[in-house]
């Protein structure tokens, strides 16, 4: 899908806002020929290379995953394409995208080390991670729950005492389960996988009794499973929320120019209604698998988007 062009004219004057007005003496002199903007950080890197590197996930349905043609698609991907367009406006240059796969375990280091410029997946923004990286405004809200086979006696995390549970390496869900296991003396046997697809496969094979990750990702995996099975899925999501997980696009910390572009883009997307349109496309309509999550927007996310759309003077 070609990203919808939205009202992002403000991004083009990013540097004027950052650098402030010109000295009076210069303002009264003859106009100087336009020169290259003084850029730093990721915008300078993108202008010089003509490319923005996007880190994507291969199985974070419906945020960031591979299409049948093995191309990155999803809710987060579309929002990131709009950010790339705004970055191009800011540097007065059309920027292309280079796709770089990342895992839950590798994604933060990939941003910190400059391997990717934007990480567009299903990454929770929390205080611990904000010490190393920066995040866009919240684009989704989820929380940890459990996926089990239908008919399983497991209905809450307390039923998992002493049992094998699948988690994905480098996720907040892994930490949540370790904390719960220690606090309630559950002695969980955590089976740590590289990505969500591998974690789900452990439940399918019977090696794990449950898979713990964000609720929306579990529904995404079940929707894909229904599509592959050609009908009903043999899996369900159970239990209460075990954590609170607000998602954001991740980028390098200490980059005020890029931060302004990202924040202005999300505000414009919210004001224009594009975030809501993309939500409907990926959460309420059919995915390439032929099935739908049928997950209405939560009141929490509705409030976040409405607040984001309000312009601040």
């Amino acid at each position: 899908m070609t990203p919808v062009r939205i009202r992002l004219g403000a991004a083009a004057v990013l540097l004027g806002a950052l650098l402030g007005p010109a000295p009076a003496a210069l303002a009264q002199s003859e106009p100087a020929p336009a020169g290259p903007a003084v850029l730093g950080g990721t915008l300078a890197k993108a202008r010089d290379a003509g490319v923005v590197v996007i880190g994507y996930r291969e199985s974070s349905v419906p945020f960031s995953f591979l299409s049948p043609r093995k191309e990155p698609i999803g809710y987060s991907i579309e929002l990131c394409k709009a950010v790339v367009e705004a970055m191009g406006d800011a540097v007065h240059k059309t920027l292309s995208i280079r796709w770089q796969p990342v895992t839950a375990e590798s994604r933060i280091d990939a941003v910190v080390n400059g391997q990717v410029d934007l990480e567009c997946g299903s990454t929770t923004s929390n205080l611990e991670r904000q010490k190393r990286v920066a995040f866009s405004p919240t684009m989704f809200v989820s929380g940890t729950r459990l996926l089990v086979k239908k008919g399983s006696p497991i209905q809450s995390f307390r039923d998992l005492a002493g049992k094998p549970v699948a988690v994905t390496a480098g996720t907040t869900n892994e930490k949540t389960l370790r904390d719960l296991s220690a606090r309630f003396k559950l002695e969980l046997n955590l089976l740590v996988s590289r990505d969500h697809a591998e974690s789900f496969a452990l439940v399918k094979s019977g090696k794990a009794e449950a898979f713990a990750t964000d609720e929306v990702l579990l529904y995404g995996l079940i929707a894909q499973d229904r599509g592959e099975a050609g009908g009903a899925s043999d899996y369900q999501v159970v239990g209460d929320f075990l954590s609170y997980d607000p998602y954001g696009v991740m980028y390098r910390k200490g980059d005020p120019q890029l931060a302004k572009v990202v924040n202005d883009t999300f505000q414009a997307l919210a004001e224009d209604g594009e975030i809501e349109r993309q939500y409907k496309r990926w959460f309420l309509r059919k995915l390439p698998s032929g099935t739908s999550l049928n997950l209405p927007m939560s009141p929490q996310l509705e409030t976040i988007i409405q607040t984001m759309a309000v312009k601040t003077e």
Side-chain angles (χ1 to χ4, degrees):
M1 171 186 173
T2 301
V4 176
R5 178 170 285 276
I6 55 176
R7 298 189 297 275
L8 294 175
V13 295
L14 160 69
L15 297 173
L18 290 173
L19 299 177
L26 292 178
Q28 296 172 2
S29 63
E30 290 296 323
V38 179
L39 294 171
T42 303
L43 291 184
K45 176 175 178 280
R47 181 194 60 189
D48 295 343
V51 171
V52 176
V53 184
I54 289 184
Y56 70 94
R57 302 288 295 281
E58 296 182 342
S59 58
S60 288
V61 182
F63 298 91
S64 177
F65 61 109
L66 293 176
S67 72
R69 298 174 59 183
K70 303 302 180 184
E71 297 172 339
I73 59 173
Y75 175 69
S76 302
I77 296 297
E78 291 303 321
L79 298 183
C80 275
K81 286 179 179 178
V83 173
V84 172
E85 185 178 345
M87 291 171 68
D89 289 344
V91 303
H92 307 291
K93 185 175 185 178
T94 300
L95 301 174
S96 61
I97 294 174
R98 186 167 78 242
W99 302 101
Q100 176 65 43
V102 295
T103 66
E105 194 169 26
S106 70
R107 57 189 166 176
I108 294 177
D109 285 341
V111 172
V112 172
N113 297 335
Q115 293 173 292
V116 303
D117 301 316
L118 303 171
E119 191 271 336
C120 307
S122 53
T123 301
T124 299
S125 172
N126 58 32
L127 292 176
E128 182 178 351
R129 288 174 173 172
Q130 289 167 18
K131 294 175 183 177
R132 300 188 65 203
V133 294
F135 286 91
S136 72
T138 298
M139 63 181 181
F140 192 82
V141 177
S142 190
T144 306
R145 291 186 71 193
L146 303 173
L147 177 147
V148 299
K149 287 185 178 179
K150 287 181 177 177
S152 169
I154 295 168
Q155 295 299 309
S156 82
F157 74 93
R158 295 177 185 275
D159 299 325
L160 293 170
K163 293 181 171 59
V165 182
V167 293
T168 303
T171 60
T172 55
N173 319 106
E174 178 187 359
K175 183 179 186 303
T176 294
L177 267 291
R178 292 191 187 281
D179 291 346
L180 286 173
S181 183
R183 187 183 312 159
F184 294 97
K185 297 180 170 46
L186 299 175
E187 298 184 354
L188 300 179
N189 176 19
L190 295 185
L191 306 180
V192 183
S193 298
R194 186 184 71 90
D195 60 26
H196 299 317
E198 289 183 8
S199 295
F200 188 21
L202 289 174
V203 179
K204 286 185 172 184
S205 67
K207 294 179 181 178
E209 294 288 337
F211 170 30
T213 196
D214 293 351
E215 176 193 49
V216 63
L217 301 179
L218 297 177
Y219 280 119
L221 290 167
I222 290 173
Q224 273 199 322
D225 185 64
R226 286 202 311 268
E228 293 169 0
S233 173
D234 293 329
Y235 304 91
Q236 62 182 351
V237 178
V238 300
D240 296 327
F241 281 103
L242 306 178
S243 66
Y244 171 78
D245 298 288
Y247 291 1
V249 171
M250 188 164 50
Y251 58 96
R252 277 181 288 285
K253 190 177 176 71
D255 193 338
Q257 293 179 351
L258 179 59
K260 180 165 175 54
V261 170
V262 171
N263 292 336
D264 286 353
T265 301
F266 269 78
Q267 181 180 345
L269 290 169
E271 183 184 6
D272 184 72
E274 181 65 7
I275 294 179
E276 185 176 358
R277 286 191 290 273
Q278 289 297 337
Y279 187 97
K280 290 177 179 178
R281 175 187 176 188
W282 295 102
F283 293 90
L284 298 176
R285 297 174 188 159
K286 286 186 177 180
L287 298 171
S289 63
T291 59
S292 171
L293 271 68
N294 289 320
L295 186 65
M297 186 179 291
S298 68
Q300 296 95 328
L301 184 58
E302 285 182 357
T303 300
I304 288 170
I305 293 173
Q306 289 168 4
T307 303
M308 197 187 307
V310 177
K311 290 184 177 180
T312 56
E313 298 298 334

